[in-house]
Amino acid sequence: LNEITQTTQAYDENQIQVLEGLEAVRKRPGMYIASTGPKGLHHLVYEIVDNAIDEALAGFCNKIVVEILPGDIIRVTDNGRGIPVGIQHKTGLPAVTVVFTILHAGGKFGGGGYKVSGGLHGVGASVVNALSEWLTVEVRNGEHLYYQRFERGTAVTELEERDATTETGTTVTFKADPQIFKETTVYEYEVLQTRLREQAFLNAGVEIELIDSRGEETVRNNFCY
Ligand SMILES: Cc1cc(C)cc(-c2cc(NC(=O)[C@H]3COCCO3)[nH]n2)c1
């Protein structure tokens, strides 16, 4: 009984932690991203790409695709191992759900929950999730495709196990929340292009492709050094 109680209890406490963390991000976005203007909007993409780059630095990914879809929806896909889907003992939640809902205030290098100038060092996924009208994550772990959807940071589905697949990788699709980004939610291709080229240069061996499919003609650029 204790085991069940423990899981149930942990779930409740963690639920509260999740809601408090995400509420803080939505209340004071400027504490977590540069601004809620165009710079902050583009920063959302960089936070997600940073996670895929971490996987590449770990040696398990060599291709990252960033796509701007109609409606200024962003899709980032990597061909890494896939974020773990196993249940995390502490929270009783799948690890991938924790990545998107628990505010890892300490960051990778310890310290407080404050923003570090260069970004959130690969722990910004929950911040992006909190500031998105909706976000979906798809994980391919070589056995199945897993899927989960969030709205303004709150899970609106469980982690669903879907079709079998031999592929591995992670895809995150999100729409920035116009309630947060009041000035604009339109991405500038050149701004993303400049930053992604830089990231490809700094992380030699990782191919980064940028695709803009918002217009009649799809525009694409590949960066690989
Ligand atoms: C596009 C995107 C967005 C986010 C938030 C994470 C990732 C991501 C995270 C990882 N990999 C992991 O988390 C590691 C860590 O644990 C072992 C399996 O791989 N690959 N890709 C990719």
Side-chain angles (χ1 to χ4, degrees):
L1 184 60
N2 181 44
E3 182 63 40
I4 295 168
T5 313
Q6 172 59 29
T7 310
T8 313
Q9 186 59 33
Y11 188 77
D12 294 348
E13 276 155 18
N14 280 285
Q15 249 341 60
I16 291 165
Q17 185 202 350
V18 167
L19 293 177
E20 278 171 355
L22 300 178
E23 192 189 331
V25 175
R26 288 182 59 84
K27 260 201 190 121
R28 290 177 191 76
M31 279 289 285
Y32 302 88
I33 58 171
S35 79
T36 56
K39 270 190 69 141
L41 177 76
H42 289 77
H43 196 84
L44 299 180
V45 182
Y46 309 151
E47 284 301 334
I48 295 297
V49 170
D50 278 358
N51 284 276
I53 287 195
D54 280 353
E55 182 68 353
L57 290 176
F60 294 98
C61 149
N62 58 12
K63 174 88 188 253
I64 300 170
V65 180
V66 180
E67 189 164 5
I68 316 170
L69 302 167
D72 284 282
I73 291 160
I74 295 289
R75 172 166 294 152
V76 182
T77 299
D78 76 23
N79 64 349
R81 293 168 290 182
I83 307 176
V85 296
I87 299 296
Q88 206 196 49
H89 183 72
K90 177 176 178 293
T91 59
L93 294 170
V96 59
T97 305
V98 173
V99 165
F100 286 95
T101 56
I102 307 283
L103 191 60
H104 293 79
K108 279 194 175 160
F109 309 103
Y114 54 89
K115 180 180 70 64
V116 183
S117 59
L120 299 163
H121 295 294
V123 292
S126 54
V127 170
V128 175
N129 194 19
L131 302 178
S132 293
E133 185 182 314
W134 58 265
L135 179 146
T136 62
V137 58
E138 294 162 287
V139 172
R140 297 168 296 283
N141 68 354
E143 291 171 15
H144 286 276
L145 166 69
Y146 293 84
Y147 168 93
Q148 186 161 28
R149 179 183 167 92
F150 306 86
E151 288 172 7
R152 294 189 167 89
T154 303
V156 295
T157 73
E158 305 259 310
L159 181 66
E160 298 169 0
E161 181 180 280
R162 294 187 167 179
D163 298 346
T165 177
T166 55
E167 311 254 305
T168 64
T170 302
T171 298
V172 174
T173 309
F174 68 90
K175 185 173 185 313
D177 188 349
Q179 288 177 7
I180 302 284
F181 299 95
K182 294 185 169 70
E183 197 178 318
T184 180
T185 55
V186 175
Y187 295 93
E188 300 290 329
Y189 186 85
E190 292 72 25
V191 171
L192 294 178
Q193 185 181 41
T194 304
R195 171 64 179 233
L196 294 177
R197 177 186 285 118
E198 264 169 29
Q199 288 284 62
F201 179 73
L202 292 170
N203 299 284
V206 187
E207 180 188 351
I208 302 179
E209 182 174 9
L210 175 59
I211 304 172
D212 188 349
S213 40
R214 290 174 292 183
E216 278 294 295
E217 299 287 308
T218 296
V219 176
R220 64 181 67 224
N221 278 84
N222 278 61
F223 309 113
C224 199
Y225 292 85

